[in-house]
């Protein structure tokens, strides 16, 4: 990267003309795509693989047109081809669980992707041609060249997950994938180098924290409403929603449904014990979700938590480091992160967990913890507040609560000066809210140390265990989860493969940059000043290493939905390291290059929002695993009264089941999975006062069939 820092180039007149032609072409394409958007969307639908690129093309044209009109046509042209090349790259990536480049069979999609990358390569090489003639190696220097090669190797290595290739013994294909990704990453780095060399706008990175928070809320809402259609997408989300509905009625469990209805209501993590219907998940997140359900907007809770997390993370980083630039970059990267926005758009627990962790650290920092400058005694009141937030983290996700709570407690003990009162206050705060989990356990299982989830999985997996460690009996039954758990049990080898899979997912999802998200962190590791590490750096580093190291002993990584969600608790360290890498680069750059670096960072962040997120939303989150929307609109309209509604769907029944009131009261409909004619008749006979309806869920929505009985 020293080439990018030290190099300088005067673009010849011919390059300027080519750049203007490319910029004009981009604007024309954007205009045509904008005109075609309504018709194409209506005919093909959001999930069609050739429809989602329309949005990136339109946004790219608008962005590049804005920059070009300000007089920076060369910069606009390079930014345009970088964004189009990024789109072309993601068009070549397929497979929901373990994304990889697929160039065959040759199709319109593949041709479009290769053409976009070809255009990027042609424009980039033409602009950088004078420097290529001078000699890149002489520009970079041997030391800088070696660093650049190492950085590119790391980015290529973690561009693809090894899991699928190890599971099915496709190691030669794995090597080919690494080489292909290495070539793409080299192309993207050359384009970014051109952006740093040509005249460009000076776009600052400093904005009010509320702006970044608002962007995070809006982005999460866009993912949740447009892509995920405000319905559950994975099995864990269904019990969370039903559990929240129970809490609104002052209950932890519901009476068991009639025997004839149970096959239609059966679902993962929903248990029936001693005449009670039990959502087996922990209470921390459903309590907050219940507030959203009470307000009629459950889909808004996680986006609001995400925005608040961005605001608190910026404040905590600024107070603990004193570095304004890094703190602003943390907020910027989080607000544009596809990882953060996807988690915030879901009904998963991770937004609550991270919010509580960051809230705890922020409260402690208000009291003097990790405060930049001279250390001072900790405030007892703020220590208690931090403990209350940390205890809620435990009530939401127990492993993260113990890990982060202990690491934070150890950091408090190491704080100088300190006394026993703040430490005791922090511990009491943790116990006060963490006890919610233990009390709920006791109320349901009769033992505060036995969770309903543990009891459920013990019966669901009678021959294996859901636990940390190594052994042949850890994880689900053999071959039941496919490549997601490719060997029975858990071993150090599987732990290493799972970790590599998590790193590949993090590299792809955290920032959504075509270069790989580790580009920013790599700058910190290769060009950062390691002699200026602070207590704040060490603390966040321990949180990151502790999270990754702890999950090494778990049999599952959970990267298949919204990225490495089991590592999401350590997202602040990830973005802090990335921010430090970017500021380290800018501090070494000449003044003019450093000014343009801000604009390049904006272009990278916009590529995540304008290119990566539409790709992810259309090709993964939208109707993911055949979760179809449409029934909720009929439900809200009161279409079914108090009838039995038998739902047929080729995918998951979860979006229908969450519409139920878990108490199954007489005045509301009951949604059941279609069980077949005989079982449906038995269910109808068990509740003879209810009518019967039949609905089919499909990609086109919900379609009601004529009632067979009224």
């Amino acid at each position: 990267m020293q080439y990018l820092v030290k190099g300088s180039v005067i673009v010849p007149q011919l390059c300027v003309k080519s750049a203007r032609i490319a910029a004009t072409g981009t604007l024309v394409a954007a205009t045509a795509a904008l005109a075609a958007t309504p018709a194409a969307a209506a005919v093909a639908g959001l999930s069609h693989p050739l429809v989602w690129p329309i949005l990136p093309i339109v946004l790219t044209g608008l962005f590049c047109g804005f920059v070009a009109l300000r007089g920076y046509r060369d910069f606009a042209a390079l930014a345009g081809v970088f964004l189009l090349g990024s789109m072309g790259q993601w068009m070549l990536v397929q497979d929901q669980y373990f994304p990889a480049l697929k160039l065959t069979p040759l199709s319109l999609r593949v041709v479009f992707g290769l053409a976009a990358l070809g255009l990027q390569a042609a424009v980039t090489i033409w602009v950088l041609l004078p420097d290529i003639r001078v000699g890149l190696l002489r520009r970079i220097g041997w030391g800088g060249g070696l660093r650049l090669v190492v950085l590119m190797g790391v980015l290529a290595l973690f561009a693809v997950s090894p899991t699928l290739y190890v599971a099915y013994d496709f190691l030669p294909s794995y090597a080919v994938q690494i080489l292909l990704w290495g070539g793409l990453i080299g192309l993207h780095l050359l384009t970014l180098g051109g952006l740093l060399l040509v005249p460009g706008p000076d776009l600052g990175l400093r904005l009010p924290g509320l702006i970044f928070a608002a962007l995070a809320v809006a982005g999460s809402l866009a993912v949740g409403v447009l892509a995920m259609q405000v319905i559950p997408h994975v099995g864990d989300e269904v019990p969370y929603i039903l559990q929240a509905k129970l809490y609104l009625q002052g209950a932890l469990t519901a009476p068991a449904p009639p025997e004839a209805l149970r096959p239609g209501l059966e679902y993962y993590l929903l248990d029936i014990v001693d005449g009670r219907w039990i959502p087996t998940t922990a209470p921390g997140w459903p309590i907050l979700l219940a507030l959203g359900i009470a307000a009629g907007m459950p889909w808004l809770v996680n986006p609001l938590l995400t925005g608040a997390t961005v605001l608190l993370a910026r404040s905590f980083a600024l107070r603990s480091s004193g570095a304004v630039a890094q703190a602003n970059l943390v907020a910027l990267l989080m607000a544009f992160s596809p990882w953060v926005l996807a988690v915030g758009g879901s009904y998963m627990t991770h937004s609550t967990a991270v919010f509580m962790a960051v809230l705890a650290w922020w409260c402690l920092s208000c009291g003097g913890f990790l405060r930049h400058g001279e250390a001072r005694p900790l405030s007892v009141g703020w220590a208690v507040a931090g403990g209350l937030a940390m205890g809620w983290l435990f009530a939401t996700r127990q492993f993260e609560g113990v890990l982060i709570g202990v690491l934070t407690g150890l950091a408090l003990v190491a704080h100088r000066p300190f006394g026993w009162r703040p430490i005791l206050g922090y511990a009491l705060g943790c116990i006060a809210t963490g006890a919610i989990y233990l009390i709920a356990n006791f109320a349901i299982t009769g033992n505060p140390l036995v969770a309903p989830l543990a009891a459920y999985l013990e019966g669901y997996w009678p021959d294996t265990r859901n636990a940390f460690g190594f052994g042949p009996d850890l994880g689900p039954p053999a071959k039941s989860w496919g490549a997601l758990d490719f060997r029975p049990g858990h071993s150090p080898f599987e732990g290493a493969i799972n970790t590599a899979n998590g790193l590949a997912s993090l590299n792809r999802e955290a920032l959504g940059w075509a270069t790989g998200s580790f580009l920013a962190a790599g700058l910190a590791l290769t060009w950062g000043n390691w002699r200026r590490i602070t207590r704040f750096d060490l603390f966040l580093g321990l949180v990151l290493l502790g999270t990754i190291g702890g999950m090494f002993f778990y049999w599952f990584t959970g990267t298949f939905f919204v990225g490495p969600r089991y590592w999401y608790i350590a997202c602040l360290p990830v973005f802090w390291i990335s921010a430090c890498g970017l500021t380290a680069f800018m501090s070494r750059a000449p003044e003019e290059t450093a000014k343009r670096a801000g604009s390049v960072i904006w272009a990278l962040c916009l590529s995540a929002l304008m290119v990566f997120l539409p790709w992810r939303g259309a090709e993964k989150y939208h109707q993911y695993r055949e979760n179809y929307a449409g029934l909720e609109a009929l439900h809200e309209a009161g279409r079914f009264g108090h009838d039995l509604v038998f739902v047929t769907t080729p995918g998951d029944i979860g979006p229908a089941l969450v519409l139920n009131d878990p108490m199954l009261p007489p005045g509301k409909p009951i949604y059941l999975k279609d069980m077949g004619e005989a079982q449906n008749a038995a269910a109808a006979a068990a509740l003879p006062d209810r009518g019967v309806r039949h609905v089919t869920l499909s990609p086109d929505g919900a379609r009601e069939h004529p009632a067979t009985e009224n």
Side-chain angles (χ1 to χ4, degrees), residues 553-570:
F553 296 96
Y554 193 56
W555 58 270
F556 189 52
T557 53
T559 61
F560 65 94
F561 180 40
V562 288
R565 55 190 175 93
Y566 289 174
W567 293 359
Y568 190 68
I569 194 68

Side-chain angles (χ1 to χ4, degrees), residues 284-285 287-288 352 356 387-396 433-434 436:
W285 159 234
I287 291 175
L288 299 182
T352 298
M356 291 300 171
L388 291 171
M390 196 64 71
W392 202 281
L393 167 58
F394 175 77
T396 303
T433 47
I436 294 172

Side-chain angles (χ1 to χ4, degrees), residues 246-589:
L246 282 173
Y247 290 165
L248 281 177
Q249 302 181 56
L252 294 175
T253 64
E259 190 73 34
L261 275 62
R262 294 182 187 181
L265 294 169
E266 184 180 359
Y267 199 80
Y268 181 59
L269 300 183
L270 294 178
D271 202 4
I272 295 178
V273 179
D274 297 332
R276 294 182 297 171
W277 195 21
I278 305 170
T280 62
T281 41
W285 159 234
I287 291 175
L288 299 182
L289 181 59
L291 301 177
I293 293 176
M297 297 181 289
W299 38 266
L300 185 58
V301 181
N302 264 343
L304 289 178
L305 291 174
T306 300
T309 300
V310 170
L311 196 62
L312 292 174
R314 178 182 179 274
S315 178
F316 173 53
L318 180 59
R319 184 179 289 120
S320 300
S321 67
V324 177
Q326 282 97 321
N328 285 330
L329 272 171
V330 165
L332 172 66
L333 296 177
M334 291 184 73
F336 283 86
S337 165
W339 189 29
V340 171
L341 301 182
V343 173
S346 73
Y347 286 110
M348 299 297 283
T349 62
H350 307 282
S351 294
T352 298
V354 168
F355 170 76
M356 291 300 171
V358 176
L359 176 61
W361 295 334
W362 181 82
C363 289
L364 293 172
S365 71
C366 289
F369 173 64
L370 290 179
R371 181 68 73 94
H372 176 67
E374 184 179 355
R376 57 189 177 89
L378 290 172
S379 164
V380 176
W382 283 114
V384 172
L388 291 171
M390 196 64 71
W392 202 281
L393 167 58
F394 175 77
T396 303
R397 299 188 61 82
Q398 289 67 59
F399 170 75
E400 285 93 330
V402 171
L403 174 69
I404 305 303
V406 169
L407 287 177
T408 303
L410 292 175
L412 283 172
V413 171
H415 184 82
R416 295 291 188 275
F418 73 92
W420 64 269
R421 287 185 178 85
I423 306 300
L424 179 60
Y426 170 75
L428 291 176
C430 290
I431 293 171
T433 47
I436 294 172
Y437 174 72
L438 303 178
I439 294 170
N441 289 349
F442 179 77
I444 296 173
T445 68
N447 187 335
L449 301 180
V450 176
L453 178 60
Y456 169 79
L457 289 178
E458 186 176 345
Y460 193 65
W461 297 343
D463 300 321
T464 58
R465 295 180 296 127
N466 178 43
F468 286 79
F470 302 120
D473 62 338
L474 294 177
K479 299 183 179 180
S480 62
W481 285 41
L484 295 177
D485 184 49
F486 61 92
R487 288 186 179 178
H490 189 54
S491 66
F493 174 74
E494 289 175 277
I497 296 299
N498 286 346
T499 301
N501 175 50
L503 290 170
S505 180
L506 184 65
N507 185 35
R508 180 174 54 254
E509 307 280 348
L511 299 178
W513 297 354
T515 59
S517 303
F518 288 173
L519 173 62
L523 292 173
L525 298 177
T526 53
W527 275 275
N529 188 349
W530 288 82
R531 297 179 180 178
R532 299 181 61 182
I533 294 178
T534 65
R535 293 181 304 158
F536 179 63
D537 298 325
L538 289 174
F539 175 71
L540 292 185
L542 286 175
V543 169
L544 178 60
L545 293 176
T547 301
I548 296 176
M551 293 308 301
F552 178 86
F553 296 96
Y554 193 56
W555 58 270
F556 189 52
T557 53
T559 61
F560 65 94
F561 180 40
V562 288
R565 55 190 175 93
Y566 289 174
W567 293 359
Y568 190 68
I569 194 68
C571 69
L572 177 55
V574 169
F575 294 115
W576 174 254
I577 294 173
S578 300
C580 288
L582 294 173
T583 53
F585 169 77
M586 288 187 286
S587 67
R588 287 173 173 263

